[in-house]
Amino acid sequence: MSEIILKAEHLKKYYEERQGLFSRKKRINAALDDVSLEIRKGSIMGLAGESGSGKSTAGKTMLNLIKPSGGRVTFEGRQIFDADKGEYLDSGSMTALRQKMQIIFQDPSSSLNPKKNVEQIISAGIIKHRLCSGSQVRERCIEIMEKCGLDKRQMMRYPHEFSGGQKQRIGIARALAVEPSFIVCDEPTAALDMSIQSQILNLMLDLKEQYGLTYLFISHNLGVVEYFCDELAVMYRGKIVEQGKTADLFSSPVHPYTQLLLSSVPVSHPDEPRRHTESKPQDESIPKHGCRFAPRCPYREKRCTEQEPLLLPCGAGHTAACFHAVK
Ligand SMILES: Nc1ncnc2c1ncn2[C@@H]1O[C@H](COP(=O)(O)OP(=O)(O)OP(=O)(O)O)[C@@H](O)[C@H]1O
Ligand SMILES: [Mg+2]
């Protein structure tokens, strides 16, 4: 079994928000509520779930880009933070470690500085982390651009002069330029059309093989997740409800929410039956007790509204948090 590159334990991120537009009362939104995840070196771990389930919050908290409310993250055997003990890496060590941990964002347009040309965007990290001597920076930049399918003659151009797919290639080149070992890919192809999506995904797979990268791949497109990820964690309202090998989750999903998500994957022919029945839309509030999926769950039992189910083994390397599914 390969080594663990990133380990997140009991991660929590709570946001305070007003109860109404004119209300002074505040409530806590548990965007991330006790999430633990181990990512194997060289693998692609998928993180799926509907909008607002906490996927981006999980990715950014793991990279220490947003302050955690609780929990611990270890990267390549080194503790980045233990928020419960108030231990954080000092900013110098964190900056140095950032070289190894990168992120590619969903929307390439807003994640690239419009005032910088491509060379400046890609070379900023190389210069910051002093990865080569001054005279070699341009050469390194060209090398990365070519690897990412960009034309070196376009290095003086600005982001607005590129298509969506090209901008995402620039985003990937920027992440790759600093020689990372782990990249959080936050819906990297969601803003692109289908044909460009597959080009970018194939590029990311090629780069992963060439550079021995590890990805945390965030997506609500399950078709893409099935094709791309070795393992999958399904999130529902701040919690992981099922986790396992992607093939196992797709062939035998255990949690009713995973089943629901899979039922929304488009079928290839209109006569082909959907895999599962759909449930009513999401209720706004998270129940105070019990399973947070209970209000939508067709298999709800009495204890589902009283007790919170734990993530328990339901097969080899497969876990689910459901009283009905895991006896
Ligand atoms: N800066 C913030 N301030 C307050 N609440 C936030 C903030 N960022 C996220 N949230 C809340 O945290 C929850 C999880 O958000 P997050 O962006 O992680 O979801 P997501 O699964 O990535 O959704 P999407 O698929 O739409 O990108 C949501 O309820 C969101 O409103
Ligand atoms: Mg998101």
Side-chain angles (χ1 to χ4, degrees), residues 44-45 47 63 102-106 182-189 204 214-219 228:
I44 305 181
M45 168 66 83
L47 204 51
L63 295 186
Q102 289 289 305
I103 184 163
I104 299 168
F105 293 100
Q106 169 176 353
F182 174 66
I183 305 182
V184 171
C185 314
D186 193 357
E187 314 242 17
T189 58
M204 291 175 67
T214 306
Y215 292 147
L216 175 66
F217 187 80
I218 298 173
S219 180
F228 205 69

Side-chain angles (χ1 to χ4, degrees), residues 163-178:
S163 70
Q166 285 172 322
K167 278 185 215 167
Q168 197 54 297
R169 285 175 192 272
I170 300 169
I172 295 170
R174 174 180 57 182
L176 207 65
V178 294

Side-chain angles (χ1 to χ4, degrees), residues 42 47 59 92 97 134 136 147 155 191 199 205 207 214 216 219 231 255 259 289 321:
L47 204 51
L97 206 60
Q136 290 171 326
K147 287 263 185 241
M155 72 193 306
Q199 283 177 18
L205 283 180
L207 295 171
T214 306
L216 175 66
S219 180
E231 282 186 74
H255 197 285
Q259 296 173 356
H289 305 286

Side-chain angles (χ1 to χ4, degrees), residues 36-37 45-49 231-235 240-244 249:
S36 298
L37 199 64
M45 168 66 83
L47 204 51
E231 282 186 74
L232 176 61
V234 175
M235 286 191 73
I240 292 178
V241 294
E242 186 164 358
Q243 192 189 333
L249 261 76

Side-chain angles (χ1 to χ4, degrees), residues 48-271:
E50 63 199 10
S51 189
S53 54
K55 305 180 296 296
S56 298
T57 306
K60 289 178 192 164
T61 312
M62 284 177 202
L63 295 186
N64 201 14
L65 290 172
I66 48 180
K67 197 169 189 299
S69 309
R72 177 170 185 252
V73 169
T74 319
F75 176 72
E76 291 183 341
R78 191 164 177 204
Q79 179 177 297
I80 296 182
F81 61 79
D82 185 335
D84 300 327
K85 290 187 184 158
E87 295 170 0
Y88 297 86
L89 269 189
D90 62 275
S91 62
S93 308
M94 195 60 233
T95 306
L97 206 60
R98 288 235 174 276
Q99 182 209 332
K100 293 283 163 209
M101 311 168 83
Q102 289 289 305
I103 184 163
I104 299 168
F105 293 100
Q106 169 176 353
D107 182 3
S109 303
S110 59
S111 65
L112 301 174
N113 186 340
K115 293 184 182 147
K116 299 259 163 90
N117 66 31
V118 178
E119 183 180 16
Q120 289 168 323
I121 289 171
I122 297 175
S123 61
I126 304 176
I127 296 167
K128 182 174 178 188
H129 295 290
R130 298 195 183 97
L131 295 176
C132 55
S133 66
S135 58
Q136 290 171 326
V137 171
R138 172 163 286 192
E139 216 174 287
R140 172 90 185 125
C141 209
I142 291 171
E143 189 191 324
I144 295 289
M145 283 182 76
E146 285 175 345
K147 287 263 185 241
C148 295
L150 290 160
D151 187 341
K152 65 179 179 188
R153 289 170 301 184
Q154 297 177 335
M155 72 193 306
M156 292 302 154
R157 288 210 204 164
Y158 289 81
H160 72 271
E161 298 174 90
F162 290 90
S163 70
Q166 285 172 322
K167 278 185 215 167
Q168 197 54 297
R169 285 175 192 272
I170 300 169
I172 295 170
R174 174 180 57 182
L176 207 65
V178 294
E179 300 166 22
S181 50
F182 174 66
I183 305 182
V184 171
C185 314
D186 193 357
E187 314 242 17
T189 58
L192 308 174
D193 69 51
M194 286 298 282
S195 63
I196 308 293
Q197 264 193 35
S198 54
Q199 283 177 18
I200 296 291
L201 292 174
N202 286 329
L203 169 69
M204 291 175 67
L205 283 180
D206 285 349
L207 295 171
K208 175 188 172 287
E209 291 310 315
Q210 275 183 48
Y211 294 98
L213 302 168
T214 306
Y215 292 147
L216 175 66
F217 187 80
I218 298 173
S219 180
H220 48 227
N221 184 338
L222 285 164
V224 171
V225 165
E226 185 175 21
Y227 163 74
F228 205 69
C229 302
D230 305 307
E231 282 186 74
L232 176 61
V234 175
M235 286 191 73
Y236 182 70
R237 313 196 78 181
K239 277 207 182 284
I240 292 178
V241 294
E242 186 164 358
Q243 192 189 333
K245 292 199 185 73
T246 309
D248 292 346
L249 261 76
F250 273 78
S251 63
S252 35
V254 161
H255 197 285
Y257 177 64
T258 314
Q259 296 173 356
L260 176 71
L261 265 190
L262 289 177
S263 74
S264 59
V265 177
V267 290
S268 50
H269 191 276
D271 291 342

Side-chain angles (χ1 to χ4, degrees), residues 7-11 34-38 62 233 240 243 311:
K7 186 174 182 181
E9 296 165 89
H10 307 293
L11 268 196
D34 202 352
V35 163
S36 298
L37 199 64
E38 288 187 348
M62 284 177 202
I240 292 178
Q243 192 189 333
L311 205 54

